[in-house]
Amino acid sequence: MINLNYYPGCTLKTKAKNFEDSAIASMSALGIALIELPRWNCCGASYCLAEDDLIHQVAPVRNLIRVKSQESRVESQGEGDSRLQTPDSRLLKVVTLCPFCYNTLKRANLIVRNDPGKRDTLNSFMDEEIDYHGEVETVHLLEVLRDDVGWEAIAKKVKVPLEGLIVAPYYGCTLIRPREIAIDNVERPTVLHRLMETLGATVVDFPFATECCGSFQSVSNPELAAETAWNILTLAQRQGAEALVLSCPLCEYNLGFQQKLIRRRHGEFKGIPTPYFTQLLALALGLESCGFDRGYTDSRALLQSKGLLS
Amino acid sequence: MDKLGSSTKRALVIGGGIAGIQASLDIADAGYEVLLVEKTPSIGGHMLQYSEVFPTLDCPQCIGTPKMVEVGQHSNIRILAYSEVESVSGTIGDFTVRIRRRATHVDWDRCNGCGLCLQKCPVKVPSEYNCFLPFDNRGAIYIPFAQAVPNKPVIDAQTCRYFKYRRFMEEGEESKKPPECRICEKVCPLGVIDWEQQDEIVEEKVGAIVVAAGFDLMDKGEIGEFAEGRDIINGLEFERILCPSGPTAGVVMRPSDGIEPREVVFISCVGSRDPELGVPYCSRVCCMYLAKQALLYKHAVPDGQAYIFYMDQRTTGKGYEEFVRRAVEEYHVMYLRGRVSKIFRDGDRLRVQGADTLSGRRVDISCDLVVLGMAMMPSAGFKELARKLGIATDEYGFITEIHSKFRPMETSVPGIYVAGTAQGPRDIPDSVAMGSGVASKVLDLFSRDGVGSPL
Amino acid sequence: MRIELTPEKLHGSFVVKVEEISGQDLLSCYQCGKCSAGCPMSFAMDILPNQIIRLAQLGMEAEIAESKAIWLCATCITCIARCPRGCDLSRVIEALRLLTLRKNADAIEPSRIPAETLAELPQIALVSCFRKFTA
Ligand SMILES: Cc1cc2nc3c(=O)[nH]c(=O)nc-3n(C[C@H](O)[C@H](O)[C@H](O)COP(=O)(O)OP(=O)(O)OC[C@H]3O[C@@H](n4cnc5c(N)ncnc54)[C@H](O)[C@@H]3O)c2cc1C
Ligand code: SF4
Ligand code: SF4
């Protein structure tokens, strides 16, 4: 079993518990233990874009510092080499699952790495912590699956191939934009496609895979966000998809929960299940804890009709 | 003046596009010998692929072919087609050039161009001349187009069945044994197919070199948000589709299924004026050729609708602005001022997401075909050629002239000159003017008793 | 509609502040409209994303403050991913929002969000929204 530092973030502990549970169970079946950081704080969710506002970078950077100090503690106990190392072995790795956390941590780290002045200021804000120079590399679980585990190894562990299930992979924004932190090609990412194919599902060509779902506008302008979601969902359906595979709890709210609102606005709209990729992964690996009972939409009827779920 | 009398009064022209053709003819007409090296099997360049040319809408095959034939028949011009420059040494007045003549596997000296071999070759592959469009194929032995000069075939060893057979027998390269074929050899009445022909290096002495290696278009795959599907094509591909003698005989159809497009969206500045893609410059001809293509599309499909997304209309040539106004007022081409963000397939049509900044509105269009006005770039492999010649290029790979105002046709190496789009994007009239201009520089050099001080 | 342009307006403190907070050169934008063409929220905006930058280039602070568009941006970064000029519109819009927010004028009223919505919303949505729309 390989241990990997894991930063969960707030949403996975509450609204998206099924996302986290299915991820931890799946990774463990694949030989990787996600070890939650002992102390972590909210990353701030949305990366602050103002040049003159460094204080909002403290929260994400503090989490990265925790990874660094955690690593040095583990190392002094002699377990350090059990963690997956990034290609640049000077870097320590922390894996995220929530795309908002991924985006915020990764971009805050770029400031620390690229701007010495801001780095010093940030360090001086947190004088109770050890000095930080950007040593930690934030990765997303999809990258771990692609780069560290590998499709072949995953394919070997598949017990319930998702045969007959037709899915549209949906990436949203924060995993692939901006370009500097993208886990994949910005315009034509493939990692979710490849994962779904590896699990035996049929993947449709989906031009809106990276179209924004409306993001936090669903708080301030739910009708407008529902409209963008409707666009995305109906294109997926026209392409023949039976489910939209997600990687983000906010996407699941906008594309899943808000289907009620969409149906009110567009009477003809028929719902479509919106499982997380980790749930389908867990299902294909033959695990019990897939959390299909806790989603905003219900994937169970679809999966049962395909004989994938009893 | 130690070089006095030693100069070779013979010119090498690299590239047989319209610029190289004009330069060759002017130098040859003045009585000097010209070696014209062309990479492909025929001279003609891009112009010969077009349906009609702006702003007069002449047929380029009609106006270009006589020039090409003149080059082919000129007693002072020797065409080395299917050839490339290997190396260059020496200085102004006295260059030694080594030229690789690629194996054609047809003895061109004896071939009379009857074309029997072309009809019998069983291989069918997409043709370079037709931009690899699905409508038409060439054989493994082929002449790129009907008006080609020289009008002699070459065998493409990559796709030829007999060469595949030989590779199978020698190296086991192909997976299963291909038929031995050799049909072309059997039908050739003159017995000029030469399987054993090898590339040949010839060495020539010249006093001046004209670089007219032209341009290529940026690969549309660079534009991730547009790269989807077969019905998003570049301007060259659409020229072939519009061309009356083209692969569709001028019937406008979209590549994926051959249906007549009811709505066509043209997009300007794709790749051009896009520093994020490394091309900050303007390609200069797209405004005009997209207007031309929209108008020609309307000729072919009078009840179809053409849209052109543009950022600025750069119509600075004689008669150009008037041409665009005609496209708008007579042909009702709808100009939309803005860029397109994304194109995707929805059912059997394409959705174009654009903006019209004049009305301040987002505009979405469903259409059957999208034509991209892709950025003009130096021709493929040009960097390598420039290195062999030792001439300076700008950061995009176009040749840097020695003085941008007063010496626009001289490169950083005395005795090496540039004409046409190898120096930067320009249209046919400008390329031809530059071809003649460069000829006058060469003739000026040749008119002296020696080269003297090059500067 | 008529506006009076003056050098003071074009180069005034408003333009300076927007450029400072956003770290962007407003004049790097050449108004091609690609951002507006791809923006998922532009269908609902009263002025398009490229017009937001245009107004900022012209120093038209009041006109921007009156528009709803900057509050509809979802910070999805689609615009900058495709902008040929590499001009980061999402940062320009953030700067414009901050100029209002820093005057202590919240753009949304958290207490107006229905309790049942609050119960369902993921934290990342709430936190992001408050970060973008409140002081
Ligand atoms: C889609 C499109 C439509 C256009 N329509 C018009 C129009 O209607 N009117 C108009 O005025 N202009 C038009 N233009 C512009 C026009 O194509 C150019 O101005 C013209 O072709 C330039 O001629 P050239 O000789 O410089 O280059 P090219 O036509 O590119 O010729 C260069 C030649 O050099 C050869 N070559 C390249 N590299 C080497 C090498 N290393 N060694 C040997 N040979 C080499 C090539 O094979 C080619 O034969 C259009 C352009 C495009 C893209
Ligand atoms: S895409 Fe960039 S250059 Fe074009 S209008 Fe938008 S911000 Fe300006
Ligand atoms: S970041 Fe804002 S302005 Fe840019 S595309 Fe997204 S929603 Fe539109």
Side-chain angles (χ1 to χ4, degrees):
Chain A
M1 196 65 108
I2 297 171
N3 294 337
L4 202 52
N5 293 311
Y6 164 57
Y7 173 88
C10 318
T11 309
L12 296 198
K13 291 294 173 192
T14 49
K15 288 285 167 319
K17 199 78 188 90
N18 52 346
F19 192 14
E20 170 171 64
D21 290 348
S22 52
I24 291 178
S26 303
M27 292 314 282
S28 146
L30 292 169
I32 293 181
L34 295 180
I35 311 283
E36 186 170 325
L37 281 179
R39 285 165 61 233
W40 55 264
N41 52 265
C42 169
C43 65
S46 188
Y47 177 75
C48 175
L49 294 162
E51 284 290 324
D52 64 348
D53 182 357
L54 215 46
I55 200 77
H56 277 111
Q57 308 299 347
V58 168
V61 171
R62 177 165 278 140
N63 285 309
L64 299 171
I65 295 181
R66 298 265 161 73
V67 179
K68 183 178 166 185
S69 37
Q70 160 75 0
E71 277 293 327
S72 28
R73 207 172 47 77
V74 172
E75 222 156 79
S76 63
Q77 292 168 358
E79 302 169 19
D81 49 11
S82 68
R83 315 239 154 167
L84 274 185
Q85 292 295 309
T86 54
D88 181 347
S89 61
R90 282 169 304 135
L91 296 174
L92 315 163
K93 225 176 196 177
V94 61
V95 63
T96 53
L97 189 50
C98 169
F100 271 66
C101 303
Y102 168 79
N103 191 281
T104 308
L105 296 179
K106 189 104 177 177
R107 293 171 85 180
N109 207 35
L110 284 185
I111 297 184
V112 178
R113 281 193 192 163
N114 301 337
D115 191 328
K118 287 187 177 159
R119 165 167 70 216
D120 292 345
T121 316
L122 277 168
N123 274 316
S124 68
F125 282 158
M126 292 174 280
D127 50 7
E128 79 283 12
E129 310 271 7
I130 55 173
D131 261 12
Y132 181 65
H133 299 95
E135 296 91 333
V136 175
E137 183 68 30
T138 307
V139 296
H140 188 262
L141 194 77
L142 281 168
E143 295 177 284
V144 176
L145 289 170
R146 177 189 62 198
D147 305 334
D148 299 321
V149 183
W151 305 132
E152 264 175 47
I154 297 174
K156 279 194 197 122
K157 296 259 166 92
V158 169
K159 295 211 175 73
V160 186
L162 305 181
E163 263 155 34
L165 185 65
I166 306 172
V167 299
Y170 179 79
Y171 298 82
C173 306
T174 51
L175 290 180
I176 49 154
R177 286 191 291 267
R179 185 165 279 119
E180 306 87 80
I181 57 101
I183 65 165
D184 205 337
N185 184 296
V186 177
E187 294 294 345
R188 354 193 94 226
T190 55
V191 53
L192 261 181
H193 294 64
R194 290 299 307 278
L195 177 64
M196 287 303 125
E197 279 166 6
T198 303
L199 303 183
T202 303
V203 180
V204 298
D205 187 28
F206 185 41
F208 278 179
T210 64
E211 198 78 3
C212 174
C213 67
S215 192
F216 51 79
Q217 287 293 346
S218 49
V219 185
S220 38
N221 291 294
E223 271 82 20
L224 299 184
E227 216 48 33
T228 60
W230 175 75
N231 259 320
I232 294 167
L233 295 170
T234 47
L235 183 63
Q237 290 172 320
R238 285 201 298 282
Q239 298 294 100
E242 299 164 328
L244 197 66
V245 183
L246 304 185
S247 55
C248 172
L250 179 44
C251 298
E252 222 238 318
Y253 179 83
N254 287 351
L255 297 168
F257 183 75
Q258 293 292 68
Q259 287 187 19
K260 288 184 205 144
L261 179 57
I262 295 174
R263 227 170 280 128
R264 247 180 280 141
R265 296 169 61 89
H266 300 275
E268 74 295 345
F269 174 72
K270 298 214 169 20
I272 176 171
T274 52
Y276 290 116
F277 74 90
T278 50
Q279 293 181 287
L280 294 181
L281 175 61
L283 177 68
L285 293 174
L287 304 176
E288 294 295 318
S289 52
C290 304
F292 287 118
D293 51 333
R294 280 172 295 162
Y296 285 125
T297 56
D298 201 336
S299 307
R300 283 174 296 188
L302 170 67
L303 297 170
Q304 280 155 357
S305 77
K306 305 277 169 184
L308 300 170
L309 202 69
S310 48
Chain B
M1 295 225 176
D2 56 350
K3 283 243 175 137
L4 202 73
S6 72
S7 98
T8 312
K9 295 185 175 177
R10 190 172 186 234
L12 169 71
V13 175
I14 306 173
I18 196 61
I21 287 176
Q22 189 62 42
S24 302
L25 284 174
D26 286 2
I27 298 170
D29 283 346
Y32 296 98
E33 239 184 274
V34 175
L35 270 179
L36 176 52
V37 173
E38 165 58 47
K39 182 163 71 174
T40 68
S42 170
I43 61 169
H46 284 102
M47 187 180 110
L48 264 285
Q49 290 177 291
Y50 303 157
S51 56
E52 292 171 29
V53 284
F54 65 74
T56 43
L57 298 184
D58 311 280
C59 154
Q61 289 79 25
C62 314
I63 59 170
T65 316
K67 271 185 183 292
M68 289 164 64
V69 171
E70 205 184 329
V71 171
Q73 294 177 346
H74 207 294
S75 57
N76 279 337
I77 302 179
R78 218 171 104 216
I79 302 175
L80 300 182
Y82 215 43
S83 301
E84 272 176 85
V85 170
E86 277 285 300
S87 67
V88 180
S89 59
T91 53
I92 180 168
D94 183 26
F95 292 106
T96 304
V97 220
R98 286 158 55 80
I99 299 158
R100 173 179 297 271
R101 308 210 60 188
R102 283 168 60 206
T104 58
H105 301 292
V106 175
D107 181 351
W108 277 10
D109 291 338
R110 289 166 50 225
C111 167
N112 66 4
C114 73
L116 276 177
C117 51
L118 313 183
Q119 292 157 21
K120 297 291 177 201
C121 177
V123 174
K124 294 282 166 270
V125 289
S127 108
E128 294 82 354
Y129 178 69
N130 285 328
C131 304
F132 305 105
L133 285 167
F135 307 115
D136 188 36
N137 291 316
R138 64 160 171 83
I141 186 163
Y142 70 103
I143 295 178
F145 52 100
Q147 305 84 352
V149 173
N151 208 278
K152 307 280 169 80
V154 298
I155 295 180
D156 164 13
Q158 227 36 55
T159 53
C160 164
R161 287 195 182 170
Y162 179 54
F163 276 106
K164 282 188 174 170
Y165 171 84
R166 294 215 320 198
R167 287 196 291 270
F168 176 83
M169 298 308 278
E170 283 158 28
E171 303 141 36
E173 195 182 275
E174 307 291 327
S175 49
K176 70 174 203 286
K177 187 163 153 185
E180 210 180 326
C181 193
R182 298 177 78 156
I183 290 176
C184 49
E185 188 181 17
K186 287 176 202 124
V187 298
C188 175
L190 297 175
V192 299
I193 305 292
D194 178 359
W195 302 110
E196 306 313 321
Q197 196 184 73
Q198 300 288 324
D199 285 9
E200 186 193 348
I201 307 279
V202 295
E203 197 172 287
E204 301 283 352
K205 292 260 181 218
V206 294
I209 299 174
V210 174
V211 188
F215 71 96
D216 275 317
L217 295 182
M218 182 191 272
D219 179 6
K220 59 183 184 241
E222 301 260 329
I223 324 284
E225 63 271 28
F226 290 178
E228 200 154 290
R230 285 208 291 170
D231 295 332
I232 303 179
I233 61 177
N234 69 26
L236 282 175
E237 292 170 295
F238 199 48
E239 290 286 347
R240 295 312 300 144
I241 291 176
L242 287 167
C243 186
S245 61
T248 61
V251 179
V252 178
M253 40 178 92
R254 62 180 197 186
S256 64
D257 56 6
I259 73 152
E260 180 183 80
R262 305 308 305 162
E263 274 102 34
V264 180
V265 172
F266 298 84
I267 308 177
S268 320
C269 304
V270 184
S272 306
R273 306 174 68 192
D274 190 332
E276 289 289 297
L277 284 171
V279 178
Y281 57 83
C282 161
S283 291
R284 286 179 64 181
V285 294
C286 328
C287 284
M288 280 305 290
Y289 79 64
L290 292 179
K292 170 189 78 176
Q293 294 185 342
L295 187 149
L296 293 176
Y297 161 69
K298 288 288 291 182
H299 276 174
V301 187
D303 56 345
Q305 179 66 51
Y307 302 89
I308 301 185
F309 282 96
Y310 75 105
M311 288 212 287
D312 302 285
Q313 262 175 35
R314 298 188 169 168
T315 51
T316 54
K318 219 180 199 176
Y320 288 11
E321 177 62 16
E322 297 89 319
F323 184 92
V324 170
R325 291 317 306 164
R326 249 180 84 201
V328 175
E329 290 164 28
E330 279 177 42
Y331 293 88
H332 301 169
V333 174
M334 182 51 70
Y335 274 81
L336 298 161
R337 201 270 162 208
R339 274 190 186 262
V340 166
S341 178
K342 188 181 171 96
I343 308 167
F344 60 94
R345 185 167 285 282
D346 189 357
D348 65 354
R349 305 198 89 196
L350 295 169
R351 286 287 287 174
V352 175
Q353 296 183 331
D356 175 49
T357 62
L358 297 180
S359 61
R361 296 289 191 277
R362 217 357 250 264
V363 287
D364 287 19
I365 300 171
S366 276
C367 67
D368 303 299
L369 185 69
V370 175
V371 181
L372 306 177
M374 296 299 308
M376 272 171 120
M377 324 261 284
S379 58
F382 186 70
K383 214 186 223 157
E384 186 57 20
L385 177 64
R387 197 189 52 74
K388 289 174 186 163
L389 294 164
I391 54 177
T393 54
D394 62 24
E395 54 188 306
Y396 317 110
F398 291 113
I399 295 178
T400 315
E401 62 282 13
I402 195 110
H403 190 291
S404 61
K405 290 176 191 65
F406 302 135
R407 299 167 73 183
M409 287 166 285
E410 291 162 72
T411 72
S412 57
V413 177
I416 304 186
Y417 307 91
V418 56
T421 45
Q423 188 266 354
R426 50 174 44 73
D427 57 17
I428 294 167
D430 284 5
S431 298
V432 172
M434 210 172 170
S436 286
V438 90
S440 87
K441 295 308 287 183
V442 172
L443 294 175
D444 172 47
L445 180 72
F446 289 174
S447 71
R448 297 166 197 242
D449 288 335
V451 293
S453 159
L455 302 172
Chain C
M1 268 184 284
R2 192 179 71 93
I3 51 162
E4 182 85 15
L5 286 185
T6 61
E8 290 71 38
K9 216 170 188 174
L10 295 181
H11 311 291
S13 65
F14 169 70
V15 171
V16 171
K17 257 189 277 169
V18 174
E19 294 199 333
E20 234 169 53
I21 301 176
S22 67
Q24 304 301 303
D25 173 1
L26 290 177
L27 291 179
S28 72
C29 162
Y30 60 13
Q31 287 295 305
C32 69
K34 188 155 181 156
C35 47
S36 305
C39 173
M41 303 306 292
S42 62
F43 76 97
M45 290 178 175
D46 49 355
I47 56 171
L48 292 179
N50 74 286
Q51 293 177 310
I52 298 176
I53 294 218
R54 185 64 184 152
L55 293 177
Q57 287 174 339
L58 296 175
M60 294 166 69
E61 182 172 11
E63 286 79 356
I64 294 176
E66 279 163 23
S67 84
K68 298 203 175 55
I70 58 173
W71 307 105
L72 292 179
C73 165
T75 322
C76 70
I77 320 285
T78 307
C79 47
I80 162 74
R82 296 184 190 146
C83 170
R85 301 283 318 166
C87 175
D88 193 335
L89 177 51
S90 65
R91 285 181 190 267
V92 173
I93 292 178
E94 179 114 322
L96 293 167
R97 277 191 304 249
L98 284 172
L99 286 180
T100 301
L101 295 177
R102 285 177 186 175
K103 293 179 192 138
N104 257 333
D106 288 353
I108 60 161
E109 188 51 69
S111 60
R112 291 247 184 88
I113 302 171
E116 54 286 16
T117 309
L118 275 180
E120 289 295 346
L121 275 167
Q123 281 81 343
I124 42 177
L126 280 171
V127 177
S128 299
C129 185
F130 295 154
R131 294 274 302 257
K132 298 296 177 199
F133 299 149
T134 61

